[in-house]
Amino acid sequence: MEWACYPFTIEGERSIMPSDRYDVVIIGNGITGLVTARLFGALTANVAIICLPKKKSTDCAREKGNSRHYSIIESSKRLLDSIGAWSEIGRGNIGHYKKIEVWDSASEGYLSFNTPLGYCGQMGWIVDESLLHDVLNATTTNIHRYWSTVELESNNEAGVKMLLPSYGKLFSQLVVVADGKNSTIQNDLGLSLRSVSYDQIGLVTNISTEAPHTNTARQWFSDSGILAFLPK
């Protein structure tokens, strides 16, 4: 796939130079936005990221080791490796598992999942969200970032026109909206979101075990709920 960036004109607008015009603009500086930017950048696309002001609920960054965690499987590891992030993640304090065991209170037996015969690697890795974001943020270079709010003004054959109060107007052939579940851009576009409550509460915590976890992920299903342990 080949990408090009040329000056172009929208009716009523001045000729836009390449610094104002992008192939892809990512709205959102989270994990999804950063990975998407890196993948498009690998295709030699001209990419920019718009970093929106943090919402009040997320103003305070989670402390390292006290945030939620991602379970990274082999295919996700290969993706992160392809954009040059995994080697840095691997230097951090991450956990891994080589086996999964599952119990059900309605059954006397249990399920055990192991890596394929002859495979000596890990089944998956447990990565702190803050570590993952910090590495992606630090390794996302050569991609211009705008720290601003944004308004989507129009969408036509020439592309998407955006207004950034602190910078002016930007144009892009593709805009990827990745500003989270409480997306302000989604509301601006008039896109509805339907949510269904499961009437359940989840609790995530870090614990220390008396016996070694043997790099095994364990999960119990019971009438009262689900209990899961992921080794770190």
Side-chain angles (χ1 to χ4, degrees), residues 8-10 21 154-161 171-174:
F8 69 105
T9 301
I10 292 181
R21 197 277 192 191
S154 63
N155 180 14
N156 52 41
E157 295 178 356
V160 182
K161 181 170 66 172
F171 297 83
S172 179
Q173 291 299 309
L174 174 66

Side-chain angles (χ1 to χ4, degrees), residues 78-224:
R78 289 197 298 267
L79 184 148
L80 291 168
D81 197 29
S82 72
I83 59 177
W86 184 254
S87 60
E88 292 297 324
I89 293 171
R91 294 189 180 98
N93 183 22
I94 65 175
H96 67 270
Y97 54 95
K98 296 185 177 181
K99 185 178 181 180
I100 300 175
E101 294 179 341
V102 182
W103 287 267
D104 189 331
S105 61
S107 171
E108 295 182 358
Y110 77 99
L111 297 176
S112 179
F113 301 91
N114 296 278
T115 54
L117 185 64
Y119 177 74
C120 299
Q122 320 300 342
M123 182 178 286
W125 295 262
I126 307 301
V127 180
D128 186 285
E129 179 188 42
S130 59
L131 171 63
L132 181 57
H133 184 268
D134 287 350
V135 169
L136 288 169
N137 203 34
T139 56
T140 301
T141 57
N142 300 323
I143 293 179
H144 195 86
R145 302 194 202 194
Y146 296 89
W147 301 86
S148 174
T149 57
V150 58
E151 296 179 15
L152 303 183
E153 290 197 336
S154 63
N155 180 14
N156 52 41
E157 295 178 356
V160 182
K161 181 170 66 172
M162 293 157 281
L163 175 63
L164 280 64
S166 303
Y167 298 93
K169 293 178 180 178
L170 294 183
F171 297 83
S172 179
Q173 291 299 309
L174 174 66
V175 173
V176 178
V177 178
D179 60 334
K181 65 177 183 179
N182 298 317
S183 171
T184 57
I185 305 301
Q186 172 187 290
N187 294 331
D188 293 342
L189 292 173
L191 300 176
S192 60
L193 179 66
R194 185 172 66 92
S195 61
V196 178
S197 174
Y198 288 93
D199 295 324
Q200 295 177 343
I201 297 175
L203 176 64
V204 180
T205 186
N206 295 321
I207 66 170
S208 297
T209 58
E210 181 179 1
H213 54 59
T214 65
N215 297 110
T216 302
R218 297 177 170 91
Q219 194 168 23
W220 290 264
F221 290 86
S222 69
D223 294 336
S224 59

